[in-house]
Amino acid sequence: MTELQPKIILVEPSHPGNIGAAARAMKTMSLSQLVLVKPKQFPHPEAVARASRADDILDNAQTVASLATAVEGCHWVVGITARTRKISSQIYTPRELMEKMLDQFAGLQVAWVFGRERSGLSNEELDLCQAICTIPADTEYSSLNLAAAVQIIGYEWFSRIHGMATHRRTGSKGDDSANSMAAAEEVEGFYQHLWDSLVASDFMDPVNPKPLKRKIRRLFDRAGLTRAEVNILRGILKSFNKQ
Ligand code: SAH
């Protein structure tokens, strides 16, 4: 069966060895789309050494300058993080994540975003994610090596795909129809429109807009906006702005 491959995005990895080990983890799980956001050292011999015959994945890896660029065209962006923040997004275990992915996003482009070895993902980067996935681990020591995290998420995907070869939900194909899920940049366009409107109406404090913005993002993340819904919401904003 052909399943659209999730993108594995590594944000600013500092050790080339981890990039190679992540590529190896990916290849064992039949994953091939690697995207690197501002890697510290890449290409690098240490990456090739640790990739151990998964160097085709390194050769085909895309390098980009920002997470926003990396997630362009993606319909569901999932932050893979051990840390949860104050305003909680939907938090999935890897298993729950795959269930949701295959149920609601079959045939659509999904991205999994992994963070830096030292500091993980920033809150601004997590804002670009519509959901969070945390690998259950010891509460006192829950931070896995980057490539180990890729391996575990990849394993759940692989087992799910191969265990559920016929699983499909109809009507969620990645076509251009109004009922398809909105792409990341379409949702961001809507948010920008909303922030501008909320500042113009004095509802949102332009000096400290972040807490409210986050709460609103979480609300729409839970809904999972379709293209048609984004259009309706933008139409509503436009009608208010006319008055
Ligand atoms: N010290 C960092 C940990 C970074 S580990 C921090 O506090 O965030 C590097 C990356 O591996 C993380 O950004 C995340 O993408 C992934 N990772 C490690 N452990 C994880 C876990 N238990 N659950 C989900 N992702 C994890």
Side-chain angles (χ1 to χ4, degrees), residues 4-239:
L4 196 57
Q5 284 247 336
K7 279 189 187 178
I8 284 68
I9 302 175
L10 308 184
V11 177
E12 294 188 13
S14 41
H15 301 294
N18 277 337
I19 302 175
R24 180 179 185 175
M26 285 171 60
K27 197 169 170 85
T28 58
M29 298 297 132
S30 297
L31 290 161
S32 59
Q33 288 204 70
L34 177 61
V35 183
L36 305 170
V37 179
K38 285 200 277 178
K40 213 168 189 177
Q41 303 179 72
F42 188 80
H44 194 279
E46 182 66 15
V48 176
R50 293 285 299 279
S52 174
R53 290 195 296 116
D55 26 7
D56 55 319
I57 298 201
L58 297 180
D59 294 343
N60 294 325
Q62 211 190 329
T63 300
V64 295
S66 71
L67 180 57
T69 308
V71 300
E72 261 172 29
C74 295
H75 291 87
W76 203 39
V77 182
V78 183
I80 314 294
T81 176
R83 282 185 300 160
T84 48
R85 53 187 168 151
K86 277 188 204 142
I87 302 163
S88 57
S89 299
Q90 287 285 107
I91 301 177
Y92 297 94
T93 63
R95 201 158 299 169
E96 290 164 350
L97 180 73
M98 301 314 151
E99 236 162 72
K100 168 101 174 173
M101 244 180 84
L102 295 188
D103 183 36
Q104 256 187 282
F105 297 92
L108 297 176
Q109 184 65 64
V110 172
W112 301 332
V113 185
F114 295 82
R116 301 158 186 81
E117 291 92 334
R118 265 169 197 260
S119 54
L121 294 167
S122 69
N123 283 342
E124 284 66 31
E125 286 158 352
L126 285 168
D127 281 341
L128 294 176
C129 302
Q130 283 107 46
I132 298 292
C133 173
T134 296
I135 300 166
D138 190 291
T139 45
E140 302 294 317
Y141 191 80
S142 62
S143 178
L144 282 76
N145 164 269
L146 174 59
V150 171
Q151 186 82 65
I152 286 177
I153 305 289
Y155 168 75
E156 288 293 347
W157 179 79
F158 185 86
S159 350
R160 201 71 193 169
I161 292 294
H162 289 270
M164 300 182 68
T166 54
H167 186 106
R168 272 286 181 283
R169 204 180 84 135
T170 50
S172 59
K173 283 269 170 265
D175 54 27
D176 284 333
S177 75
N179 285 329
S180 63
M181 302 304 290
E185 62 273 21
E186 292 167 329
V187 179
E188 284 306 314
F190 158 63
Y191 283 139
Q192 202 46 59
H193 197 161
L194 181 60
W195 310 150
D196 293 346
S197 309
L198 292 178
V199 168
S201 72
D202 284 335
F203 185 85
M204 188 163 73
D205 177 5
V207 181
N208 183 25
K210 276 189 182 167
L212 179 65
K213 281 183 175 177
R214 266 191 196 127
K215 283 186 182 140
I216 293 175
R217 278 176 185 272
R218 298 295 73 94
L219 169 72
F220 288 109
D221 287 349
R222 282 201 303 278
L225 294 173
T226 63
R227 271 205 176 119
E229 287 162 348
V230 165
N231 284 336
I232 290 170
L233 289 167
R234 295 197 69 161
I236 292 172
L237 291 176
K238 221 165 151 187
S239 77

